[in-house]
Amino acid sequence: MATFDDLLEEAGAFGRSQKRIFSLLCFLSLFFAGSYVGIVFQGFTPDHWCRDAAAVERRRACGWSLGESRRLTAPLVNISGVLQHSSCEQYELDWNSTEPSCDLQNLHVSRLTSTACKDGWEYHYEGRNSIVTEFDLVCSDGWLVDMYQSTLNVGFLVGSFAFGYLADRFGRKMSFLMSNVINVVSGIAMAVVPDYTSILVLRAIFGFSSKGGWMATYVLLTEIVGVKYRRTVGILYQMFFSVGLLFLPLLAYFIADWRWLQVAFTAPFILFMSFYWLIPESPRWLISQKRSSKAQEIIGNMANENKRKLSTNVQVIGTTSASLMDLVRTPNMRKHTIILMFNWFTSAVVYQGLIMRVGIAGGNIYVDFLISSLVEFPAAFLILLTIERVGRRLPFAAANIVAGVSCIFWLKTMVACIGRLGITMSFEMVVFVNTELYPTFVRNLGVSVCSTLCDIGGIVSPFLVYRLAVIWLELPLIIFGVVALIAGGLVLLLPETKGAPLPETIEDVEFPDRKKGNQEECQKMKKHLKTNEDV
């Protein structure tokens, strides 16, 4: 009897079957980009000022420009040391009582008192429509834009736990199908409901299902490929998310209304439902459910597609139950858990923060978003280039430190790109470093628990970006820089896992030298036996 890994190697570690499944599921990662950071375009806050109906009529009659009209309605205020026309106040002036003149020189408004906006706002957004312009989510209601992204991350948080359970209880395929059905229903409903409260509720549901489906497919992919291909497949799967980022500004440029943009984000999930009949269930999960015959059948089909033949049967291996206390009961496990949690949190806060900052930094949002997204591609190649040559710890720490320094010394676009590159690399590395530091029986639980800090970071990030930027545009960057530097320093306290055997028990984590010594002794014994056989 052989283990599943032995059987998988015999069937083909990454043959035609796995490549076909990988190609299909990468589309899910690609379109997940719209769900994750679509707020940059759906929640874009354009230049705005108080609307005065009478002033608008006078502007149209006199042919004034928007700039001239704004100067006559919005008082100057000091924003971060710069005088700008207010977005939330207007001159207290009754235009119907003034002399109907179009001569701007005769209209002296600077000495008038100011008051809060009374008739809503005007937006300089060239006929486009975001959730901000539709629901007037500016000034005192600006925090509701933050909620649009935070509710998504609340859904991510709940979905991580819920779909983790569902995937283990009902299988990866069923979880994937459930996710796509909920995505379609909630995504389309979000595009048609009239009130903002309903949109937030549906946004949370959309996050709940989309993150769950993404996780289920990630797990499925890593479970059907050979050991030496898992890291590469995992990194490339995440890289397709970066590909999706490149299409996002193009899509947003041609679809001017946020509701139709939401339909565009949702429509692919209708197609993904058909994948249920095109991909197999995870044989590893079937084995864990003691359904070896079905697992054997799937492996046999994969072997046929890979043009390989099987000569052995799969062995059912018992598992040890895990608990949350296993993550913190012993010193090294506790240290690893705390450091990994902080790095998940930092990666999410800084990554989402830098993306959302593109929407408030000025300039051409479409071009800036595209340029900043392009720098994510070198991250995957740098990881693949360094992890087997240099190791995990130094590239992981360096990525955080580079991101932190770039945020603190944010001087020009090139530095901004380097910061995005660093935090993307860190985000992709924390996933598989997390899997290498925990013993087998608690590995999935450890990743699930630590990654919840990613979703908490996503909940916090919009408030840091949008609210603190009102005080000072660069203040969020300083906070991002500090937490990234701390995260990089903490990574240096983790053990290097390059070339180290995966831990099987907590003892292997607490006493790594003992595990390494046993492995070296085993290698020597094998070498000795081979020498005797040759003699």
Side-chain angles (χ1 to χ4, degrees):
M1 298 289 284
T3 64
F4 177 77
D5 283 323
D6 294 332
L7 197 64
L8 189 58
E9 290 294 329
E10 193 175 341
F14 191 55
R16 180 178 178 182
S17 177
Q18 289 98 328
K19 290 174 183 176
R20 175 182 60 82
I21 298 166
F22 174 75
S23 299
L24 288 174
L25 295 183
C26 277
F27 281 104
L28 186 87
S29 188
L30 188 149
F31 285 100
F32 184 57
S35 306
Y36 194 52
V37 295
I39 185 177
V40 174
F41 302 101
Q42 289 182 304
F44 180 68
T45 302
D47 198 16
H48 57 280
W49 58 92
C50 297
R51 185 179 189 279
D52 187 314
V56 171
E57 290 183 9
R58 182 75 62 90
R59 181 183 74 209
R60 291 170 178 168
C62 296
W64 294 336
S65 67
L66 285 175
E68 291 169 334
S69 174
R70 183 176 185 181
R71 182 175 65 81
L72 295 173
T73 56
L76 289 171
V77 293
N78 189 321
I79 301 176
S80 300
V82 179
L83 283 177
Q84 299 180 22
H85 287 285
S86 174
S87 298
C88 304
E89 294 182 339
Q90 66 182 73
Y91 286 120
E92 201 161 13
L93 172 65
D94 183 1
W95 285 88
N96 293 321
S97 65
T98 62
E99 183 178 346
S101 171
C102 293
D103 187 358
L104 295 172
Q105 302 298 324
N106 293 332
L107 296 172
H108 303 288
V109 295
S110 59
R111 293 186 294 272
L112 297 174
T113 58
S114 58
T115 183
C117 298
K118 299 176 180 178
D119 300 328
W121 286 264
E122 288 191 89
Y123 298 94
H124 187 207
Y125 199 30
E126 300 175 352
R128 294 181 169 269
N129 182 38
S130 71
I131 58 171
V132 173
T133 60
E134 180 172 336
F135 297 102
D136 285 336
L137 305 183
V138 292
C139 300
S140 61
D141 288 333
W143 65 276
L144 288 171
V145 182
D146 311 352
M147 289 297 295
Y148 186 75
Q149 185 69 4
S150 291
T151 52
L152 178 78
N153 282 279
V154 169
F156 284 171
L157 179 62
V158 178
S160 296
F161 281 108
F163 274 88
Y165 168 77
L166 292 171
D168 286 339
R169 178 69 180 83
F170 301 105
R172 308 338 184 190
K173 275 184 64 174
M174 182 56 68
S175 297
F176 175 72
L177 180 62
M178 291 169 58
S179 164
N180 285 295
V181 171
I182 298 173
N183 283 341
V184 171
V185 174
S186 60
I188 297 297
M190 197 193 321
V192 298
V193 293
D195 62 294
Y196 195 64
T197 301
S198 298
I199 289 172
L200 293 181
V201 172
L202 290 165
R203 178 80 165 161
I205 297 172
F206 190 67
F208 166 83
S209 54
S210 59
K211 176 69 175 292
W214 190 90
M215 287 182 60
T217 53
Y218 182 88
V219 170
L220 176 61
L221 281 173
T222 57
E223 288 180 337
I224 63 171
V225 299
V227 175
K228 66 179 181 180
Y229 292 99
R230 284 177 199 158
R231 295 188 190 100
T232 302
V233 164
I235 292 169
L236 291 177
Y237 181 70
Q238 294 179 74
M239 194 174 75
F240 271 86
F241 175 87
S242 300
V243 176
L245 294 178
L246 299 182
F247 288 102
L248 195 53
L250 186 67
L251 196 64
Y253 181 80
F254 287 105
I255 302 178
D257 190 284
W258 78 268
R259 291 184 181 273
W260 282 108
L261 193 58
Q262 179 60 41
V263 172
F265 293 160
T266 305
F269 293 106
I270 300 174
L271 174 65
F272 297 156
M273 287 191 288
S274 66
F275 289 4
Y276 178 82
W277 292 273
L278 300 175
I279 60 176
E281 181 54 87
S282 166
R284 289 183 188 271
W285 176 78
L286 291 168
I287 293 170
S288 72
Q289 302 297 302
K290 297 186 171 45
R291 296 168 59 186
S292 298
S293 59
K294 182 63 177 176
Q296 186 79 33
E297 178 187 336
I298 291 175
I299 288 293
N301 292 336
M302 292 174 65
N304 290 336
E305 190 172 352
N306 293 339
K307 301 188 184 305
R308 305 282 286 269
K309 290 185 177 181
L310 297 178
S311 60
T312 53
N313 293 322
V314 68
Q315 179 182 1
V316 178
I317 301 174
T319 59
T320 304
S321 61
S323 73
L324 287 172
M325 287 304 298
D326 290 324
L327 303 180
V328 295
R329 184 180 291 116
T330 54
N332 280 346
M333 289 287 288
R334 183 163 54 247
K335 180 181 74 173
H336 296 173
T337 299
I338 292 171
I339 293 174
L340 288 168
M341 279 183 165
F342 189 80
N343 270 270
W344 274 105
F345 176 83
T346 299
S347 296
V349 165
V350 179
Y351 182 79
Q352 286 196 46
L354 294 185
I355 290 179
M356 288 186 290
R357 188 182 183 275
V358 174
I360 63 173
N364 188 314
I365 185 175
Y366 305 101
V367 174
D368 291 346
F369 189 96
L370 180 64
I371 292 173
S372 63
S373 298
L374 282 170
V375 303
E376 291 198 5
F377 291 92
F381 294 110
L382 282 173
I383 293 172
L384 295 173
L385 185 66
T386 59
I387 58 174
E388 297 302 338
R389 293 175 173 82
V390 180
R392 279 74 158 143
R393 183 173 58 182
L394 288 179
F396 191 8
N400 273 301
I401 292 170
V402 166
V405 171
S406 298
C407 287
I408 293 175
F409 298 100
W410 195 283
L411 299 176
K412 51 187 177 180
T413 303
M414 182 58 67
V415 181
C417 291
I418 293 173
R420 179 76 172 270
L421 171 66
I423 201 61
T424 300
M425 189 172 173
S426 176
F427 213 160
E428 293 181 358
M429 289 196 72
V430 72
V431 180
F432 66 82
V433 168
N434 203 152
T435 64
E436 292 181 335
L437 288 174
Y438 284 124
T440 300
F441 80 98
V442 78
R443 189 168 293 134
N444 287 338
L445 178 65
V447 174
S448 296
V449 171
C450 291
S451 66
T452 58
L453 270 292
C454 167
D455 301 318
I456 293 174
I459 294 170
V460 172
S461 188
F463 291 95
L464 289 178
V465 173
Y466 296 129
R467 295 314 102 210
L468 295 184
V470 174
I471 302 171
W472 179 33
L473 185 62
E474 312 304 334
L475 182 56
L477 296 178
I478 294 176
I479 295 175
F480 296 158
V482 170
V483 296
L485 288 173
I486 294 173
L490 290 174
V491 167
L492 294 175
L493 300 177
L494 293 173
E496 177 56 67
T497 56
K498 173 180 174 283
L502 288 176
E504 300 294 338
T505 65
I506 290 179
E507 285 72 22
D508 293 339
V509 176
E510 297 301 320
F511 307 102
D513 292 337
R514 184 186 304 171
K515 173 81 171 180
K516 185 177 180 181
N518 292 339
Q519 186 189 40
E520 290 175 352
E521 188 67 28
C522 183
Q523 293 295 332
K524 288 180 181 178
M525 182 64 70
K526 288 181 178 179
K527 186 176 181 180
H528 178 70
L529 291 173
K530 187 176 187 303
T531 302
N532 290 341
E533 288 175 0
D534 293 339
V535 172

